[in-house]
Amino acid sequence: MVNALGQQQAAVEPIARRRGLFRWVLPVLGWLLLAAGAAGIGLHYNSRVWEPAVLAASFASYLMVGALVAVVVLGLARRWVSTAVAVLVSAAALWSHAPMLWPGGSAPPGTDLVMMQSNLFLGHGSAEAVVQAVRERSVEVLTLEELTPELLGKLDAAGLADLLPHRFTAPSGGGQGTGIFSRYPLEDGVKFDGFWLNNLRATMIHPGRGPVSVFAVHPIPPLLNAGVWADELRKIRDILGQATGPVVVGGDFNSTYDHAAYRNLVSGRYADSAELLGVGALPTWPTDRWWGPVIGIDRILVADGHAVALSSHTIPDTDHRAVIARLRL
């Protein structure tokens, strides 16, 4: 009898230890996830130009997911007060991204315009793939970053000049080059001063819509200089604010929706095509890593218009996915 009781007690003790461990592991894990979610919200609304915070904000959305997981983990741990806090933090996280997750209504009648945006990684991107995408998707206006003179020649050899015969370009090495290509005539080309990389504007004379301002923008990455990055985004916002009439903007913004500096660009009459369609982040970078792409920094904006469709496309030999939007002006 004694032996039986001893064996039973010996069997119960490991179970009790596991239950005790389980009782503490789940809450600690849940609190860590909750803290990550709260940190993501803080980064989303942070406007301070401090490089670590700016870089971390690129991944704020992923941190916010922690709050959603924390609801489940803390619920399983029966920590009801903590679970309620996690629900509130999750609601705040969803609210912060509601514009990107909820379509902004349907596009009214108007003139459709197909636009493509692509960063070609120091001129290494496949010219043939770019031209193929332009041809197959009936692209009417194209913006390119990191356009080199050599790549420009390859694009023409692949047939880009036949498809989009009008252009305003500022090709260069070192990632500075930028170009605007159009099926329709381009006028009044401008290369803006005060930027590390080439930022351009031209007026496209669309046969069905008349003059349309086209911008190709490329602020520097915050990793190079967060202060200059923030200053260039402010300059781009001011430049866009001076444009009148319909406007389309393609660019590698080197920022995400979680950066307050980027959201300032898509205020007023400008809207992100992904926001208009409610498709979320649409990650485009990096594509040259096994774990990518994870963040969306290649964007197409529109003013005095709407978006009908948006998709991303692989361009070999570059670290960005291209994006193609059907806009309605």
Side-chain angles (χ1 to χ4, degrees):
M1 182 70 172
V2 174
N3 288 340
L5 288 174
Q7 291 174 357
Q8 184 178 12
Q9 184 177 3
V12 168
E13 287 179 355
I15 296 175
R17 284 196 299 270
R18 286 196 295 271
R19 285 178 177 173
L21 182 64
F22 188 72
R23 187 180 299 118
W24 287 106
V25 166
L26 278 183
V28 170
L29 176 60
W31 293 328
L32 290 174
L33 289 167
L34 179 56
I41 294 172
L43 290 167
H44 176 87
Y45 289 107
N46 171 63
S47 58
R48 181 186 174 195
V49 183
W50 180 49
E51 184 176 300
V54 170
L55 297 177
S58 302
F59 305 94
S61 298
Y62 294 98
L63 292 173
M64 290 185 207
V65 173
L68 300 174
V69 180
V71 173
V72 177
V73 173
L74 292 169
L76 290 173
R78 298 179 182 275
R79 300 298 177 105
W80 305 122
V81 174
S82 297
T83 301
V85 173
V87 169
L88 291 176
V89 174
S90 297
L94 291 172
W95 176 261
S96 71
H97 280 72
M100 294 295 287
L101 301 174
W102 192 264
S106 58
T111 301
D112 282 6
L113 176 73
V114 180
M115 183 173 189
M116 177 174 170
Q117 147 63 28
S118 184
N119 178 310
L120 296 174
F121 188 37
L122 304 175
H124 298 305
S126 169
E128 292 77 12
V130 171
V131 174
Q132 181 179 2
V134 169
R135 180 181 296 109
E136 292 180 351
R137 301 302 298 270
S138 299
V139 171
E140 296 164 274
V141 61
L142 167 69
T143 55
L144 297 177
E145 291 79 49
E146 305 197 15
L147 175 68
T148 63
E150 294 79 11
L151 181 59
L152 185 57
K154 293 179 181 178
L155 288 165
D156 285 340
L160 185 63
D162 298 327
L163 298 170
L164 304 176
H166 307 280
R167 64 184 61 185
F168 176 62
T169 65
S172 181
Q176 289 184 302
T178 306
I180 298 172
F181 303 81
S182 172
R183 182 182 299 179
Y184 314 113
L186 293 174
E187 299 178 351
D188 305 324
V190 176
K191 180 167 102 52
F192 295 102
D193 296 326
F195 292 91
W196 284 22
L197 309 175
N198 295 336
N199 288 257
L200 311 178
R201 185 204 69 205
T203 301
M204 177 180 63
I205 308 303
H206 191 280
R209 191 62 175 84
V212 177
S213 296
V214 181
F215 288 84
V217 301
H218 193 195
I220 70 164
L223 186 61
L224 294 181
N225 189 313
V228 174
W229 166 83
D231 184 57
E232 291 195 349
L233 284 172
R234 281 193 295 268
K235 288 179 181 177
I236 291 171
R237 180 193 63 194
D238 293 342
I239 289 170
L240 294 180
Q242 296 171 13
T244 59
V247 185
V248 295
V249 187
D252 169 7
F253 286 86
N254 276 314
S255 54
T256 73
Y257 186 76
D258 283 308
H259 288 106
Y262 175 75
R263 294 196 303 279
N264 287 337
L265 285 174
V266 291
S267 59
R269 71 192 196 102
Y270 285 90
D272 187 320
S273 52
E275 176 185 352
L276 290 168
L277 294 168
V279 299
L282 194 69
T284 61
W285 183 89
T287 60
D288 60 343
R289 301 289 187 270
W290 65 266
W291 41 267
V294 293
I295 58 176
I297 59 178
D298 293 86
R299 323 300 290 177
I300 292 176
L301 313 184
V302 60
D304 289 358
H306 209 286
V308 178
L310 179 68
S311 56
S312 64
H313 303 266
T314 297
I315 302 295
D317 303 321
T318 181
D319 56 346
H320 290 247
R321 286 179 67 83
V323 290
I324 299 178
R326 178 175 291 275
L327 306 172
R328 183 159 296 168
L329 305 177

